[in-house]
Amino acid sequence: MKKLEEKIRNCKKCPLWQLRTNPVPGDGSYDAKVMFVGEAPGYWEDQQGLPFVGKAGKVLDELLKGIGLNRREVYITNIVKCRPPNNRDPTEEEIKACAPYLDAQIDIIRPRIIVTLGRFSMGYILRKYGFQVEPISKIHGKVFEARTLFGKVYIVPMYHPAVALYRPQLRKELEEDFRKLKDLIEKVV
């Protein structure tokens, strides 16, 4: 994983490298049974080189704590490893450039559960494992079971934690999805 993280830090596959302060490979346990995949680093992530350290990261920390987990027990990363300007959505080109890094992280960590945070990571992961992509509002909190070379992996699409900041009425749905995640963890991990 250290070699992969070094490749990410030196990556120049798409134009985002020219704008970054720090790439954000990921953080957490390399033996994690649960991997969270967000979309792209924001301002604070770019400053610190760590995923989910801004306001959305605080929401994620609260959600993890609510089900008895902390960052050291899981692995947190993004589909795109460098911050898009003005926190815009990642482009298909950027996702395509970074996806091999995410694929390698999954292969190294071999999580039992992959939680996608937001529609871009959801779309990529669901397509990767052969599922049809539907609107996140329709499938958040549902569990998809896929077979891999290293066994079953369970995919749980969720809203991005930032939704709790911009649409506070969805906070309850996020909390409910995390309760479902806790039940899944107790069954399969």
Side-chain angles (χ1 to χ4, degrees):
M1 184 64 91
K2 296 289 184 194
K3 287 180 184 177
L4 178 61
E5 289 172 349
E6 194 57 32
K7 279 185 181 179
I8 293 167
R9 285 187 188 93
N10 293 310
C11 182
K12 296 181 180 179
K13 288 184 181 181
C14 79
L16 290 180
W17 76 270
Q18 298 171 17
L19 306 169
R20 70 181 178 219
T21 304
N22 290 293
V24 183
D27 188 46
S29 171
Y30 297 155
D31 297 317
K33 300 301 179 206
V34 182
M35 175 185 271
F36 290 86
V37 182
E39 301 190 327
Y43 175 81
W44 290 109
E45 291 76 14
D46 180 61
Q47 294 299 303
Q48 297 180 38
L50 294 168
F52 285 88
V53 292
K55 290 179 183 177
K58 290 186 185 355
V59 173
L60 179 59
D61 289 344
E62 291 166 7
L63 293 166
L64 287 170
K65 185 178 179 184
I67 62 167
L69 289 176
N70 66 60
R71 286 174 173 260
R72 303 276 43 103
E73 297 172 277
V74 300
Y75 191 81
I76 304 171
T77 190
N78 287 297
I79 189 166
V80 172
K81 310 302 185 188
C82 296
R83 178 182 183 227
N86 302 311
N87 288 348
R88 68 158 166 72
D89 291 338
T91 66
E92 284 301 315
E93 173 189 289
E94 293 157 357
I95 291 170
K96 187 176 178 183
C98 273
Y101 296 134
L102 176 60
D103 292 344
Q105 289 173 312
I106 292 168
D107 289 346
I108 291 167
I109 293 172
R110 297 183 175 186
R112 296 293 315 277
I113 301 168
I114 299 173
V115 180
T116 62
L117 301 171
R119 62 191 167 99
F120 291 95
S121 59
M122 176 198 72
Y124 177 77
I125 292 293
L126 287 179
R127 280 190 291 277
K128 171 182 171 64
Y129 290 103
F131 295 102
Q132 183 176 337
V133 178
E134 297 183 61
I136 195 166
S137 60
K138 186 175 179 182
I139 62 172
H140 70 89
K142 291 187 179 176
V143 178
F144 296 80
E145 184 179 316
R147 298 207 178 275
T148 69
L149 294 174
F150 56 87
K152 288 181 187 173
V153 65
Y154 300 88
I155 301 159
V156 185
M158 291 194 191
Y159 287 116
H160 192 284
V163 79
L165 302 170
Y166 306 114
R167 295 178 62 198
Q169 67 275 21
L170 292 179
R171 171 77 184 231
K172 293 273 187 244
E173 290 186 50
L174 257 175
E175 290 171 352
E176 179 59 31
D177 289 350
F178 266 76
R179 281 190 286 279
K180 292 176 187 173
L181 174 61
K182 181 180 183 182
D183 293 343
L184 179 63
I185 290 168
E186 290 171 357
K187 284 182 199 168
V188 304
V189 173

